[in-house]
């Protein structure tokens, strides 16, 4: 038999659709087409639909219940039995499939950062990074899809959002040049300097292994033993003993890349940088009492706050900025070793330069598929961004990949939809658990000629990722750190000095509580010694709260000129004014009072990108406005400000014997649970306003006024003043700090 052009038909068994060349191919071509007998499997989505741009193609299909293979079912309530009272039959394929899948529908949770919440969004470059970085996603006006996951570190998936803890802030940027993962925290320094200590610090912070308690807390012996013995942890510990350990919202957290990265511009010139996420809404925190109440009243507070804000259209945003340093042999700046992850560079010496903005505008549609299965890795880099020799970062480059192999069931976790790159993939990685690609060709190796040499190596003009050529200093193999890593106290001292008196009070209270929960007195003694080495006043105040003597410092305490700056204004959260988007406003109403302006007030709050919640004795509606909370369900910790549009008397369900929140019998002037809301908002330094009948009720609980109390004759003027106060987050002027 001959072909149409009178050449012999080749014998079966040809490995490639095109004869190979004698020499190794050098001209890039795409993957070869399959041979005539090899037609690729027709792609379908996981739910049997033809692929399309609509997201619905991956959701459930059809109106009938089916097996995983698409066979329609008529019963899923009864197993197949040998007679109604007989044994269940092994042949019941639907029973076996249903129960087997249920038995395996959970995957191992993350060892750390297990409890998280996430959202989709977009990053837009400003073009201002061009002089230091050639990464395409930073170009002016370039929009890149992102997925950002926020998390606590220590607690399990079932723990509470508001525990005192460091927060993760990991962002996956799906760039045209490959995926870039910026795996950050809300604190710019870390507990340890070398990644080999990471198992130790996590084991110490986790619940005690014998009893698995306390959950999601650092207030226990093993944690404080570790940080008091491993003193490089003192700086990070001081940060989360401060207000940053209990953020008001994920939307109001800074993010820090922690490590120093190396950037390269189009000319190959390199710089060292630190990445910063700056929230548009400012950096704000909960009070300690709020965090504790929320742990019981609403342990999902942070994830609810994020998703509700996005649903309401109050899309949170952050500016991405960089601190830029010369890439010299010392890799230090103003005496600060840039490879030490327990150190930061004060913004007074290296300002943060904005290079783009991220806005989160879409909630996940499936928590497990997206938020739980997303896999980050600081080694996911793009051209123009490279790592440094930071010994913590170097270990993270290994650890992140390694942990996903078990958690996500094999090496193909990058093919899960949430992890898929938005750039062409030709990786020659084949087979393995969960392989979803349908690779063509017969030569997944290099060099080859059977597949026409494809895939080819990219050159400089093809946008290849380059491991930047960096001179490695001469040395010997040894298990040591640089002498420049030995200072464990001066930057902790800088942080303490930079706090306002009120913030210092909060830090003292946090240490007093945490150390007071330790069983072993020797651990308290050892940690007090560390505090004395940071600041004598800090140590003295905590020691007094613990009823213990304050030790003398064992290292030089430094002076006001200790380090490059004596204080850093960027470290304090207080003193600024910020947008009020997404703030929650509680409105107490009396259904029998004058509510003629309630609807207009409600809509005015919505128009200001805030969320109103009407609080009434019962559900339903008041003056055409839905009741968001009843007196039985309202909690002061939900609201950023409280308005009293009326003074409701004791409600029919106000029975202290049944509901302790109803309070003790009062004068009858106001419902006791409303009084409780007022009292808590007062203690938590929240703005409150009232008019009409509500004015007398607020005055009765707070006096004739005071800081953050707005009394007026009509609601809209009161609302305007309340919104102005909300710009400062809280009304701390209400209280006199203990420290001066």
């Amino acid at each position: 038999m001959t072909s149409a052009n009178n050449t012999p038909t080749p014998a079966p068994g040809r490995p490639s659709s095109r004869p190979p060349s004698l020499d190794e191919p050098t001209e890039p071509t795409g993957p070869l087409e399959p041979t005539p007998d090899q037609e690729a499997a027709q792609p379908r989505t996981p739910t049997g639909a033809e692929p399309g741009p609509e997201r619905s193609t991956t959701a459930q299909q059809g109106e009938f219940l089916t097996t995983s293979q698409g066979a329609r079912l008529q019963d899923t309530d009864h197993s197949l039995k040998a007679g109604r009272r007989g044994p269940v039959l092994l042949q019941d394929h639907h029973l076996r499939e249903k129960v087997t899948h249920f038995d395996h529908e959970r995957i191992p949770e993350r060892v750390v950062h297990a409890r998280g919440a996430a959202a989709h969004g977009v990053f837009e470059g400003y073009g201002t990074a061009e002089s230091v970085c050639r990464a395409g996603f930073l170009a002016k006006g370039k929009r890149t899809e992102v997925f950002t996951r926020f998390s606590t570190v220590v607690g399990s998936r079932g723990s509470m959002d508001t525990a005192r803890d460091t927060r993760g802030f990991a962002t996956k940027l799906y760039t045209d040049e490959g995926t870039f993962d910026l795996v950050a925290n809300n604190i710019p320094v870390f507990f340890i300097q070398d990644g080999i200590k990471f198992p130790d610090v996590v084991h110490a912070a986790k619940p005690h292994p014998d009893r698995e308690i306390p959950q999601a807390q650092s207030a226990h012996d093993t944690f404080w033993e570790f940080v008091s013995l491993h003193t490089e942890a003192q700086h990070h510990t001081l940060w989360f003993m401060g207000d940053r350990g209990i953020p008001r919202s994920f939307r109001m957290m800074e993010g820090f890349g922690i490590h120093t990265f190396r950037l390269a511009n189009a000319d190959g010139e390199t710089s060292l940088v630190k990445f910063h996420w700056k929230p548009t809404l400012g950096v704000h925190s909960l009070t300690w009492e709020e965090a504790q109440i929320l742990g019981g009243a609403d342990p999902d507070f942070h994830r609810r706050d994020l998703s509700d804000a996005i649903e309401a259209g109050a899309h949170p945003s952050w500016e991405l900025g960089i601190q830029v340093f010369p890439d010299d042999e010392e890799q230090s700046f103003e005496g600060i070793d840039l490879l030490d992850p327990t150190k930061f560079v004060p913004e007074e010496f290296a300002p943060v330069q904005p290079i783009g903005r991220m806005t989160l505008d879409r909630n996940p549609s499936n928590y497990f598929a997206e938020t739980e299965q997303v896999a980050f890795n600081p080694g996911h880099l793009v051209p123009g961004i490279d790592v440094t020799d930071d010994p913590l970062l170097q270990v993270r480059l290994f650890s992140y990949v390694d942990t996903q192999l078990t958690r996500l069931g094999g090496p193909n976790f990058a093919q899960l939809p949430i992890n898929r790159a938005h750039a062409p993939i030709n990786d020659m990685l084949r087979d393995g658990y969960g392989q979803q690609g349908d690779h063509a060709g017969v030569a997944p190796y290099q060099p080859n000629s059977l597949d026409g040499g494809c895939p080819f190596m990219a050159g400089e003009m093809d946008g290849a990722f380059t491991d930047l050529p960096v001179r490695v200093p001469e040395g010997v193999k040894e298990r040591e750190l640089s002498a420049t890593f030995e200072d464990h106290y001066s930057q902790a001292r800088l942080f303490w000095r930079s706090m306002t008196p009120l913030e210092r009070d909060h830090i003292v209270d946090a240490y007093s509580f945490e150390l007071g929960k330790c069983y072993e007195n020797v651990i308290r003694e050892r940690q007090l010694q560390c505090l004395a080495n940071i600041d004598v006043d800090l140590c003295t105040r905590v020691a007094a709260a613990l009823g213990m003597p304050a030790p003398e410092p064992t290292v030089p305490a430094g002076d006001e000129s200790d380090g490059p700056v004596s204080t850093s204004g960027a470290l304090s959260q207080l003193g600024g004014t910020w947008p009020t988007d997404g703030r929650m406003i509680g409105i107490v109403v009396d259904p029998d009072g004058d509510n003629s302006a309630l609807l207009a007030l409600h809509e005015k709050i919505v128009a200001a990108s805030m969320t109103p919640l009407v609080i009434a004795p019962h559900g339903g509606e008041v003056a055409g406005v839905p009741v968001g909370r009843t007196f039985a369900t309202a909690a002061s910790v939900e609201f950023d400000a409280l308005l009293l549009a009326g003074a409701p008397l004791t409600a029919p369900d106000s029975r202290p014997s049944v509901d302790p929140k109803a309070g003790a019998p009062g004068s009858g002037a106001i419902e006791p649970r409303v009084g409780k809301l007022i009292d808590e908002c007062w203690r938590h330094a929240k703005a409150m306003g009232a008019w009409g009948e509500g004015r007398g009720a607020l005055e009765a609980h707070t006096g004739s006024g005071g800081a953050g109390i707005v009394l007026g004759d009509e609601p809209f003027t009161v609302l305007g003043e309340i919104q102005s106060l909300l710009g400062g987050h809280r009304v701390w002027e209400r209280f006199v700090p203990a420290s001066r």
Side-chain angles (χ1 to χ4, degrees):
M1 182 181 232
T2 59
S3 61
N5 59 2
N6 294 321
T7 59
T9 300
R14 175 186 292 177
S16 178
S17 62
R18 185 186 306 171
S21 59
L22 178 62
D23 299 322
E24 180 182 347
T26 58
E27 291 297 320
T29 62
L32 298 185
E33 65 278 3
T35 60
D37 61 300
Q38 295 176 333
E39 185 172 340
Q42 293 301 310
R44 290 278 172 167
T45 72
T47 52
E50 294 186 9
E54 302 84 8
R55 297 187 67 226
S56 60
T57 61
T58 58
Q60 300 93 326
Q61 307 294 321
E63 61 272 30
F64 296 108
L65 179 67
T66 72
T67 67
S68 64
Q69 305 302 312
R72 294 179 178 178
L73 293 165
Q74 63 176 359
D75 190 333
T76 192
D77 296 329
H78 307 90
S79 54
L80 188 65
K81 308 177 187 69
R84 292 195 174 190
R85 297 175 62 81
V88 174
L89 299 178
L90 185 62
Q91 74 179 65
D92 189 343
H93 61 90
H94 173 47
L95 165 69
R96 286 185 286 113
E97 178 183 80
K98 182 176 180 180
V99 174
T100 297
H101 194 282
F102 171 77
D103 290 344
H104 296 271
E105 70 181 21
R106 291 291 177 266
I107 64 174
E109 68 176 35
R110 290 167 167 85
V111 176
V112 287
H113 299 278
R115 182 172 180 82
H120 298 268
V122 65
F123 176 87
E124 183 169 348
Y126 290 166
T128 52
E130 183 179 359
S131 63
V132 293
C133 187
R134 66 173 182 265
F137 77 94
L138 297 174
K140 185 175 182 179
K142 177 67 175 177
R143 293 171 62 84
T144 300
E145 290 190 53
V146 302
F147 186 72
T148 296
R149 186 179 188 271
F150 306 99
S151 57
T152 53
V153 173
V154 175
S156 68
R157 276 193 61 188
S159 59
M160 63 181 180
D161 280 347
T162 58
R164 182 179 293 280
D165 198 356
T166 306
R167 265 51 180 202
F169 188 139
T171 301
K172 188 176 290 292
L173 295 102
Y174 303 97
T175 87
D176 297 339
E177 300 173 297
T179 300
F180 172 48
D181 286 349
L182 183 50
V183 191
N185 280 344
N186 74 322
I187 291 174
V189 295
F190 206 62
F191 286 105
I192 54 175
Q193 296 169 324
D194 191 318
I196 198 171
K197 296 297 296 180
F198 192 67
D200 298 309
V201 67
V202 173
H203 289 161
K206 285 287 189 177
H208 293 195
D210 54 349
R211 303 185 182 187
E212 187 64 10
I213 55 174
Q215 175 62 241
Q217 295 183 56
S218 55
H220 56 86
D221 290 68
T222 59
F223 175 79
W224 287 103
E225 174 174 58
F226 178 85
V227 300
S228 62
L229 290 171
H230 202 66
T231 54
E232 68 195 49
Q234 289 294 318
H235 187 197
H236 182 115
T237 304
L238 183 59
W239 276 76
F240 86 88
M241 286 297 101
D243 291 341
R244 292 177 190 250
I246 42 175
R248 159 60 179 83
S249 166
F250 293 138
R251 301 178 291 124
M252 302 166 194
M253 283 192 338
E254 273 184 289
F256 302 91
I258 301 172
H259 310 288
T260 300
F261 291 81
R262 179 172 279 108
L263 304 188
N265 63 18
D267 296 325
E269 300 167 329
T270 62
S271 304
L272 301 179
V273 306
K274 287 185 176 289
F275 289 104
H276 295 248
W277 290 111
K278 297 280 191 180
T280 304
L281 299 178
V283 184
H284 308 298
S285 297
L286 297 167
T287 67
W288 179 227
E289 185 184 36
E290 279 182 299
Q292 292 176 304
I293 294 172
L294 281 165
D298 187 4
D300 306 306
F301 178 71
H302 282 150
R303 61 174 63 185
R304 189 189 317 280
D305 172 87
L306 177 66
S307 58
D308 283 356
I310 293 173
E311 182 182 353
H315 299 151
S317 65
W318 292 257
E319 274 198 319
L320 179 63
I322 51 175
Q323 289 178 294
V324 183
F325 319 103
D327 188 5
D328 55 27
E329 186 175 348
E330 296 299 319
Q331 299 180 88
S332 66
F333 187 77
E334 295 290 345
I336 300 168
D337 192 326
L338 297 175
L339 300 186
D340 182 351
T342 67
K343 304 292 193 302
F344 71 96
V345 178
E347 294 185 27
E348 287 76 6
F349 273 74
V352 176
Q353 305 172 30
I355 60 174
R357 179 182 293 270
M358 175 176 71
T359 302
L360 300 182
D361 56 11
R362 180 163 53 87
N363 284 312
S365 57
N366 183 285
Y367 182 91
F368 177 82
E370 299 169 65
T371 307
E372 187 63 21
Q373 291 196 125
V374 67
F376 296 97
N377 181 2
H380 292 165
L381 303 165
V382 293
I385 304 177
D386 203 356
V387 298
T388 59
D389 295 335
D390 176 332
L392 175 61
L393 175 58
Q394 291 284 315
V395 176
R396 291 179 76 196
L397 296 173
F398 161 76
S399 180
Y400 277 71
V401 174
D402 188 55
T403 191
Q404 309 299 350
L405 296 176
T406 297
R407 199 176 70 84
L408 295 176
N412 291 311
F413 56 84
Q415 296 182 13
L416 293 168
I418 193 62
N419 295 322
R420 290 175 185 169
H422 293 195
I425 304 295
N426 196 344
D427 54 18
M428 292 198 304
L429 304 176
R430 299 294 178 100
D431 308 336
Y433 285 108
Q435 177 58 251
Q436 299 175 52
D438 192 0
H439 296 94
V442 297
Y445 51 82
Q446 279 289 339
N448 76 71
S449 64
L450 287 172
D451 280 351
C454 186
F456 288 80
M457 300 301 105
E460 183 178 349
M461 302 302 294
D462 302 309
F465 175 82
T466 303
D467 295 292
L468 299 176
V470 178
R471 184 179 298 279
V472 179
E474 183 179 351
V476 297
K477 291 191 292 186
E478 56 182 326
R479 293 184 182 273
E480 293 290 343
L481 286 171
S482 166
T484 56
F485 282 41
E486 292 176 359
D487 172 17
H488 298 166
Y489 295 111
S490 66
Q491 285 213 326
R493 191 175 303 121
L494 168 63
F495 180 82
W496 168 257
R497 288 175 178 168
S498 301
M499 296 295 99
T500 63
L502 185 76
E503 289 169 308
R504 292 186 186 188
D505 287 351
H506 295 168
I507 291 172
V508 169
D509 291 345
Y511 273 114
S512 302
F513 174 84
E514 297 262 326
L515 294 173
K517 298 285 281 187
C518 291
Y519 183 88
E520 298 291 350
N521 199 57
V522 68
I523 293 175
R524 298 190 191 97
E525 291 179 14
R526 193 189 302 131
Q527 179 57 32
L528 284 174
Q529 183 64 69
C530 293
L531 296 184
N533 291 342
I534 295 172
D535 185 88
V536 171
D537 180 58
L538 168 62
C539 176
T540 301
R541 295 176 62 190
V542 175
L546 296 175
M548 299 174 64
E552 293 296 320
T554 57
V555 300
D559 54 34
E560 290 302 316
S561 61
D562 185 27
V565 291
S566 59
T567 61
S568 175
L571 302 183
S572 173
Q573 297 181 190
L574 306 186
T577 302
W578 298 273
T580 58
D581 297 25
R583 295 291 188 163
M584 304 286 287
I585 311 295
I587 310 173
V588 174
V589 301
D590 179 357
D592 298 323
D594 179 9
N595 295 298
S596 57
L598 182 60
L599 179 58
L601 178 69
H602 185 279
E603 293 308 296
K604 191 172 183 63
I605 293 173
V606 171
S609 295
M610 299 185 292
T611 300
L613 282 177
V614 171
I615 309 167
H618 53 71
E621 291 186 352
V622 174
V625 179
V627 173
R629 298 287 186 272
T630 65
F631 296 157
T633 60
S636 68
V637 288
E638 292 183 275
F639 312 120
D640 295 290
L642 186 68
L643 300 178
L644 272 71
L649 300 177
T650 303
D653 68 338
S654 185
R655 292 173 292 165
S657 61
V658 177
D659 180 6
K661 289 190 299 181
S667 63
I670 192 173
E671 155 69 42
R673 289 169 292 186
V674 174
K676 181 172 182 286
L677 292 178
I678 296 171
D679 292 342
E680 289 179 347
C681 285
W682 174 267
R683 293 201 305 274
H684 302 156
K686 294 178 179 178
M688 291 183 281
W691 59 91
E693 294 295 325
R695 180 169 179 161
L698 187 56
E699 286 179 317
H701 272 264
T702 64
S704 58
I709 303 299
V710 181
L711 304 173
D713 296 324
E714 54 88 26
F716 303 105
T717 301
V718 171
L719 175 63
E721 293 187 44
I722 290 293
Q723 186 172 2
S724 178
L725 290 168
L726 275 177
H729 183 55
R730 295 189 192 272
V731 191
W732 291 121
E733 308 89 277
R734 187 176 292 162
F735 307 110
V736 177
S739 59
R740 290 288 187 177

